Amino acid sequence: MFVVVLDLPSIKIQKRMSLREPCMEDLHVAVMVDILSRLPVKTIIHCKCVCKQWQNIVVFDSYFADLQFSRSSPPCLMIYYKAGPLKWVEVEEGLYYNLHHHPVMSLDINIAPMTLLVGSVRGLVCLWQLNKNVDNTYICNPITREYTILPRPQYYREGSTNIVYCFGVSSLTREYKVIRIFQRGLIMLPDSTPTYSLSEAEVYTLGSGQWRSLGHFPYWLNGSHTGPFLNGHAHWIIRYQVLPENICAFDFDKETFELFPSPPSEVIHARQKKNYFQKLDLLKACLCLCATSNSKFTLWVMKEYGIKNSWHKELVIRKGISRDLDMLILGHPCLIECFKDGTILMASSGNNLLVYSPGSKTVTETKTFEGCFKGLAYRPGFHRLLNFKNEIVKVF
């Protein structure tokens, strides 16, 4: 004979549990991380206010930060006003390109008007603040609203100096680094070759708390204060020196300098002319060179990284075709973003945000921003500065 004992209270409890509506808390943490990482950045920012668990994932989970950054995201810009805050702007692609900025995403870190956008890597932005008596380097994350001021380098800006920067990350160690080249005291050698009496390079590894000297820097760089970061290297244009190549690259892994394949000789000869302006930029993850003279604007693109023969003349705009294109040439434009249909977003020295349409060969000036500003392409991310030891991190 069998005796069956029924525990009625437990049966009732189990029944109530089975009838409860499923919720996010029932999901495994890995599943929640995956879901949150696929949301738009602004939605993620709001989600961290929903519950403690989501806040911990968004704010403290480094795996989430890596996963979110690996997802594709719509094109964004980082705009800096010389007399105002940083602005994170989203670009809506379509028949027309619309720029969307939310006032909440204005980030005022109270720095002097003379500030340059050095570059952006994995959601972090490097800025250089310079003034008569000021020479500061900032690293910030506009999304986490954190920033830090790097310690004072050995070679500090004073008087007539040429300082060149790049911000990047080592592909081997994943360390974030700022490379800074300080050049002062222009002199002429007996063979009429220009050089500097002092030319030194320093590097700062985020989290180390100090600059390290890399010794003498042998090249004379042009007036552009920043160089693009690509494939683990910084890139700058060399001027006036007679060398096999006219681009210098810095390896963020080896921390060494080397000559880098430059465009064909016609570009090299043209640089000796007056009123000729050159700048290195990035276009669709390719290194490119913008060359502007009184008569035309030329865009060279390196299709295969490091291969000299892969330099291709992508675009030539000659003066006199239209008033719009003349405006582009005279403005010495720098590239910000290139979209799927070939449309290029540029900023000019005339403080205009320009959109070049290759199909109609026209340039449109956007009215989204007013006043003096600088811009760069930006991919938002959630990597926190508080994760780097030896850094004094402040919040906007």
Side-chain angles (χ1 to χ4, degrees):
M1 183 177 67
F2 296 95
V3 178
V4 178
V5 179
L6 296 177
D7 188 350
L8 295 179
S10 64
I11 293 177
K12 291 180 180 179
I13 292 173
Q14 291 179 9
K15 184 176 181 181
R16 284 199 299 268
M17 290 181 62
S18 63
L19 294 177
R20 181 173 64 84
E21 291 291 333
C23 64
M24 284 288 288
E25 293 180 354
D26 296 331
L27 296 176
H28 191 275
V29 174
V31 178
M32 278 192 280
V33 168
D34 183 72
I35 293 173
L36 288 171
S37 69
R38 297 173 185 273
L39 299 176
V41 172
K42 290 181 181 179
T43 303
I44 296 175
I45 293 173
H46 293 304
C47 283
K48 73 178 183 180
C49 302
V50 172
C51 64
K52 190 69 174 177
Q53 187 175 27
W54 289 9
Q55 183 185 48
N56 290 337
I57 291 174
V58 173
V59 176
F60 301 110
D61 194 326
S62 59
Y63 173 73
F64 163 79
D66 290 336
L67 185 62
Q68 181 277 331
F69 193 81
S70 69
R71 309 287 191 195
S72 60
S73 59
C76 298
L77 310 176
M78 187 56 60
I79 301 294
Y80 173 72
Y81 282 90
K82 291 183 179 179
L86 285 169
K87 290 182 180 290
W88 169 40
V89 180
E90 292 182 319
V91 182
E92 180 182 323
E93 297 185 66
L95 183 60
Y96 301 99
Y97 288 88
N98 299 314
L99 304 179
H100 298 284
H101 165 69
H102 194 281
V104 174
M105 300 314 298
S106 293
L107 311 170
D108 192 351
I109 56 179
N110 192 28
I111 55 180
M114 290 298 292
T115 302
L116 297 177
L117 291 169
V118 173
S120 175
V121 179
R122 294 174 62 81
L124 301 184
V125 178
C126 179
L127 304 105
W128 178 35
Q129 176 194 24
L130 66 156
N131 212 328
K132 185 177 181 180
N133 300 311
V134 177
D135 182 356
N136 293 326
T137 307
Y138 288 75
I139 304 293
C140 70
N141 187 330
I143 304 304
T144 63
R145 306 184 73 84
E146 300 168 319
Y147 76 95
T148 183
I149 305 175
L150 303 189
R152 178 170 175 164
Q154 179 181 353
Y155 299 99
Y156 198 71
R157 183 179 183 270
E158 53 185 20
S160 178
T161 57
N162 182 41
I163 299 177
V164 180
Y165 272 87
C166 186
F167 178 47
V169 62
S170 167
S171 57
L172 295 178
T173 64
R174 299 187 69 182
E175 293 175 317
Y176 295 84
K177 299 180 181 181
V178 179
I179 174 70
R180 172 180 162 117
I181 298 168
F182 181 94
Q183 299 180 315
R184 182 179 63 198
L186 180 63
I187 58 176
M188 300 297 291
L189 297 178
D191 62 354
S192 298
T193 301
T195 186
Y196 285 100
S197 60
L198 179 64
S199 181
E200 297 289 328
E202 295 179 271
V203 65
Y204 185 91
T205 301
L206 197 58
S208 67
Q210 62 182 355
W211 291 86
R212 290 181 290 110
S213 174
L214 299 179
H216 176 71
F217 180 76
Y219 307 115
W220 189 24
L221 301 181
N222 73 350
S224 178
H225 292 293
T226 63
F229 173 77
L230 180 65
N231 282 9
H233 290 76
H235 307 81
W236 303 285
I237 295 175
I238 303 170
R239 63 175 178 178
Y240 297 128
Q241 292 171 291
V242 180
L243 299 167
E245 304 293 349
N246 286 272
I247 295 177
C248 167
F250 173 74
D251 189 322
F252 274 77
D253 293 329
K254 301 176 182 177
E255 295 189 351
T256 56
F257 298 96
E258 57 191 18
L259 293 177
F260 187 83
S262 51
S265 57
E266 66 174 273
V267 178
I268 307 306
H269 296 322
R271 349 180 13 241
Q272 310 303 327
K273 299 178 181 179
K274 293 183 179 180
N275 301 319
Y276 190 80
F277 176 81
Q278 284 187 329
K279 188 179 187 301
L280 291 173
D281 274 307
L282 298 179
L283 188 69
K284 293 183 177 179
C286 291
L287 187 67
C288 65
L289 184 145
C290 300
T292 309
S293 67
N294 286 337
S295 60
K296 64 180 179 179
F297 168 79
T298 307
L299 175 63
W300 290 84
V301 178
M302 184 178 244
K303 298 292 187 179
E304 297 180 54
Y305 184 79
I307 306 300
K308 186 176 181 66
N309 293 335
S310 71
W311 279 105
H312 172 69
K313 191 183 294 186
E314 188 81 7
L315 175 66
V316 178
I317 301 176
R318 299 187 183 277
K319 189 176 181 180
I321 297 177
S322 71
R323 184 176 177 276
D324 283 345
L325 298 183
D326 288 351
M327 177 180 65
L328 184 150
I329 294 172
L330 295 173
H332 299 313
C334 60
L335 307 184
I336 295 180
E337 185 65 275
C338 182
F339 304 109
K340 295 176 182 179
D341 63 354
T343 299
I344 302 175
L345 189 66
M346 295 175 279
S348 75
S349 58
N351 304 313
N352 298 313
L353 197 60
L354 308 175
V355 179
Y356 172 73
S357 302
S360 59
K361 296 188 179 345
T362 58
V363 176
T364 305
E365 181 181 356
T366 68
K367 302 298 183 183
T368 305
F369 307 107
E370 295 180 358
C372 299
F373 71 90
K374 299 294 181 182
L376 57 77
Y378 174 69
R379 282 193 62 194
F382 289 84
H383 296 96
R384 300 201 67 197
L385 288 175
L386 284 173
N387 293 332
F388 298 94
K389 62 179 182 179
N390 300 321
E391 301 297 346
I392 301 175
V393 179
K394 300 179 181 180
V395 179
F396 296 108

